[in-house]
Amino acid sequence: MRFFKKLCAAALLLAVLAGSAIFAHGQAFDEYGRVFMPVRATFEGMGFDVGWDDATRQVTLVRGADALALAIEVDEFTVNGEIRSLLEPARLIGGITFAPIRPLLHAAGYTLGENGEILPHFTLGIPAQEPLPASLEEFIPTLAIHIQRYNQLTADFWPNVANNVFLAIDNRDTGQLWMILPDGEFFLMSDAQIEALGAQRAQFDEGWQELTWNGLRGLYYATTEHEVTDRERIYRMVHVGTYEGIANFTHYVMHILEQPNWVISSEIYEHNSDRLEYLEETEARAVRWLMQRQMLLALANPGDERLLLDVAATIGRWLSEFPQDALNALAMDRIEGTAEYFEMVASLAAAYPGQIYSRADVDRAMSELAHWHFENATVFGVVSESYMIGAYAGMLLTRIAPGWQNALINDGRATAITLFYEHFSGIALPAPVQLTEAEMLYIAEELGRQMFSIFEAQFELIPEWIADLPNLDAELREAYLGIIEDFLAEMEANVLPMPYSQILEDFVRETRAILANI
C-alpha cells in the first residue's frame, strides 16, 4: 500500500513537471498519508487574503487578526509570529505552492475531514461548558445528560463494556443522595430508597464503588460541593475537555466494571508495586517524553504513515535499551493507560451533545485536542506517563488496528504500547529520532524541578520535628532523629541540576549544624 502511494505520488509529480493540467488546477495529493493541498486556493476559499513575495518566496495568509506565513523549502511556518512545525517543507510545483495542510488548517481553526472536507474546529474545553455549576444540585442535570449519552454511545469504544449503568452521587456535605438512571432520569433519593439501595456510604469526602439496584449495575460516587464547583479542580480535566464528573465516571467504569473481567498476569504487578516515578532515570524519561510527543503528532495528523513509523521506532528503542523501565511501567501502562484511553474517548462522546455524535467525531475532536496536548500536557514519571502514553497509543490503534482491545483483554501482559509496536512487526522502521541537546537540557531541568518538589514538604516538616525533640522521651527522640537522618541522606544522594542541588546542599548543611548543637 505504501509503495502504491509512493508510485502514484511520483507519477503525479512527473505529470506536473511535464505540464499536465492535473496540478495546473491545484489538486491535492497524498504522500504516505500526508496530505498536500494548494495553499492559495485552499485559504482564499476560507476567506483569507493570500500574498506572495517573489524575493523571499514567502506566502502570507491574513484574515482579520490572524496572520500565517510560510516559505518554499522551509519546514516551519508562523502564526501571528509564533513558529510552528509544518512537518516538511512547502513546495512550489508548476507555479503553485503546496504544503502539508493539516498544521496550517489547525492554526487557522479548521481540520481536514475524513473525506477531504475542511471543517471548523469543535468548541471544546471547560470554557465551552461554562458557566460552571454553583452547586452539586445545579450540576446534576448536566451530568445526567452525560450519563445518558455514555450509555447510548460508548459501546463503540470498548467491546462489551458495561453500559446501561447508573450513577448514585452522595453529597457528603448535605447527606443527600442523587440517582441518575441510565436513560438520564434523575431524582433525589428518599431515606427508604437509600436504605433499599444498600450503599455502604463512604466515610470520606470522595470515592467510588460498585452498586447494584433494581437489577442494574452502577457506580456510587461520594463527593462534596467544593469538588464540583472549584474552578481549579474542574480545570485539571482540561486534557479531556470536559467536567471532572463524567471523566471520573468513565475512568472508574473501566477500573471497577471492566478490567476485573480481563485475563490477569500477576507477574506484571511484581514490578514497581509502589508506583514509583523513577524521575532519576533521565534517559528513559526522555525517550518516553519523545514517545508522547510523537504520538500526539500522529494523532493530530491522521493517516500520516511516517509519523506512525517514528512512534514505532521510538517504542522499539525504549523496549530494547530500557527493559527495566519497560517492566516498571508495564502494569500502569496496561491498567491506567487503558482507563485513560476510555476516559478520553467516552468523555468526549458523552459531554458534547450538540457537537459530537459518532466515533468519527470523537477521533476528529481528539486530533484537535492533540495540538493542545503537544504544547501543554506532556508529563514525566513512569506512572504519570502511563496514563497519557497508554491513552494516545489506544487512540492510534483504534485508527490502524480496530479490535485491538480484544487482544489486550486476552493477553495479561499486553498494553496498547506493545500492541502498537507489534502492529509494525516485519516492517522496516526508520532510525529512532534522537533528542536534541536543547530538548535533553529541558528534560533534565524539568525532572530536577519535579524531584526537588518532593523535598519541599520536608523543608517544613524537619524544622518542626527538630523543635519537638526536647519534648520527646528518649525512644521517640531516637526514632525522630533516625527519620530526619534518612531524609537528609536521601537529599544528599540526589543529583539535581542547579539551583536545586545548591538549595538541598544548604538545607542539609544547616540542619546538620542545628542537630550538632542539640
Side-chain angles (χ1 to χ4, degrees), residues 357-379:
Y357 302 96
S358 66
R359 188 161 69 180
D361 287 342
V362 169
D363 186 70
R364 177 182 148 206
M366 195 57 232
S367 292
E368 295 175 16
L369 281 176
H371 288 274
W372 182 89
H373 282 234
F374 188 82
E375 298 298 331
N376 299 283
T378 45
V379 296

Side-chain angles (χ1 to χ4, degrees), residues 383-414:
V383 176
S384 299
E385 294 157 2
S386 291
Y387 286 80
M388 310 315 298
I389 292 175
Y392 301 153
M395 292 168 195
L396 292 173
L397 278 170
T398 300
R399 291 177 180 172
I400 64 176
W404 66 272
Q405 296 95 331
N406 287 313
L408 185 142
I409 290 168
N410 295 311
D411 181 348
R413 290 181 58 87

Side-chain angles (χ1 to χ4, degrees), residues 151-205:
N151 285 296
Q152 291 172 339
L153 299 175
T154 51
D156 281 347
F157 299 108
W158 198 271
N160 303 314
V161 72
N163 55 17
N164 206 31
V165 177
F166 68 81
L167 176 61
I169 307 178
D170 192 343
N171 187 332
R172 303 303 293 163
D173 292 327
T174 66
Q176 295 177 320
L177 192 66
W178 291 87
M179 171 63 75
I180 301 178
L181 297 177
D183 63 1
E185 179 186 352
F186 61 91
F187 54 88
L188 191 60
M189 300 188 74
S190 66
D191 291 341
Q193 288 173 318
I194 293 173
E195 184 176 351
L197 184 64
Q200 179 186 347
R201 300 184 74 176
Q203 300 303 307
F204 40 84
D205 283 343

Side-chain angles (χ1 to χ4, degrees), residues 305-324:
E305 294 180 20
R306 283 173 285 191
L307 296 178
L308 294 172
L309 292 173
D310 282 341
V311 173
T314 297
I315 295 174
R317 178 191 174 192
W318 175 63
L319 292 171
S320 63
E321 294 184 16
F322 305 97
Q324 186 58 52

Side-chain angles (χ1 to χ4, degrees), residues 4-42:
F4 174 75
K5 287 184 176 181
K6 183 176 181 180
L7 185 63
C8 289
L12 287 172
L13 183 56
L14 287 172
V16 173
L17 297 176
S20 166
I22 294 175
F23 277 90
H25 296 292
Q27 289 188 357
F29 63 96
D30 175 322
E31 285 187 354
Y32 301 98
R34 185 168 295 171
V35 178
F36 288 73
M37 292 180 69
V39 174
R40 179 179 292 277
T42 301

